[in-house]
Amino acid sequence: MREEQFFRDLEEALRGEIIDSAISDNLRYYRDYINGEKAKGRSSDEILDELGDARLIARTIVESAASGADSSPNGYDSTPGDIGYTGFGKDKSQDRTAEDEAGYRQETEYGSENPYARRHPDMHYVDFSKWYVKAIFIAVLVLILFLIIALFAGVTSFVFYYFWPLVGIYCIWYIIRHIGR
């Protein structure tokens, strides 16, 4: 029961943060790890206590994916069609065929009906939780504000440069015209 809750929490925390195949790879990795440790005679509770909180593991996976690292554990790399696929560290004995992938997805209930699947995998988002992204954003805003003020000042000085002589000429014309009356 606790083991299934661990996997539900891990999947829920990863859903929408990384691609589906990387989620599947990570879930499979942890299932294989737990089953391997159970085969050595360890209890499920002992293994889960050692692993820690699923949400903390998920946050680590998401942060490593955001930093450009592959979000799948070694031996469980994403397929070449996936975003973020690097192909590095892939054990060739771990190659999966389309039938294997479909079987695994069906077995673990990750079908194409997934409401959290990314519909636009080529869309990029900006992560404002990083300090340098915030600094760049503020610098761009300051630059835009500076350009707007400079443009306004330039237009204003241009208008006044030509406006005041025109006002002076108009005043002289007005005075000359009304003196004769």
Side-chain angles (χ1 to χ4, degrees):
M1 181 66 169
R2 183 172 168 215
E3 187 176 327
E4 287 308 311
Q5 183 63 41
F6 172 83
F7 286 109
R8 276 194 299 271
D9 290 347
L10 182 60
E11 180 182 8
E12 181 181 304
L14 292 173
R15 195 61 64 195
E17 299 292 330
I18 60 174
I19 58 175
D20 289 341
S21 63
I23 294 171
S24 300
D25 291 342
N26 280 286
L27 292 172
R28 188 174 336 145
Y29 172 81
Y30 283 104
R31 281 193 197 281
D32 290 349
Y33 175 78
I34 290 172
N35 289 336
E37 293 298 309
K38 282 182 184 177
K40 293 178 185 176
R42 296 179 65 191
S43 72
S44 178
D45 288 335
E46 181 183 2
I47 299 165
L48 292 174
D49 287 340
E50 177 186 293
L51 288 174
D53 185 35
R55 288 181 177 85
L56 182 59
I57 293 171
R59 188 170 67 200
T60 304
I61 293 168
V62 170
E63 286 176 359
S64 70
S67 70
D70 189 13
S71 55
S72 299
N74 283 341
Y76 293 85
D77 288 340
S78 303
T79 57
D82 290 337
I83 298 170
Y85 172 76
T86 61
F88 296 114
K90 185 167 183 172
D91 180 5
K92 296 300 180 192
S93 66
Q94 296 288 336
D95 283 344
R96 297 186 306 266
T97 63
E99 294 84 20
D100 293 339
E101 188 71 25
Y104 177 74
R105 289 185 186 279
Q106 184 179 19
E107 175 185 316
T108 56
E109 300 175 6
Y110 302 122
S112 61
E113 303 301 318
N114 181 357
Y116 300 105
R118 289 188 176 179
R119 288 182 172 65
H120 301 286
D122 55 345
M123 183 181 292
H124 183 72
Y125 69 96
V126 178
D127 183 12
F128 281 98
S129 65
K130 308 287 186 200
W131 70 268
Y132 56 87
V133 175
K134 291 177 186 175
I136 291 171
F137 181 73
I138 291 171
V140 168
L141 283 179
V142 168
L143 180 65
I144 290 171
L145 184 62
F146 175 76
L147 289 174
I148 290 171
I149 292 171
L151 182 65
F152 179 74
V155 168
T156 307
S157 66
F158 180 77
V159 167
F160 282 121
Y161 183 75
Y162 291 103
F163 177 72
W164 289 117
L166 291 175
V167 169
I169 292 170
Y170 176 76
C171 289
I172 293 170
W173 176 76
Y174 184 79
I175 293 170
I176 292 173
R177 187 168 166 211
H178 285 97
I179 288 180
R181 288 187 189 189

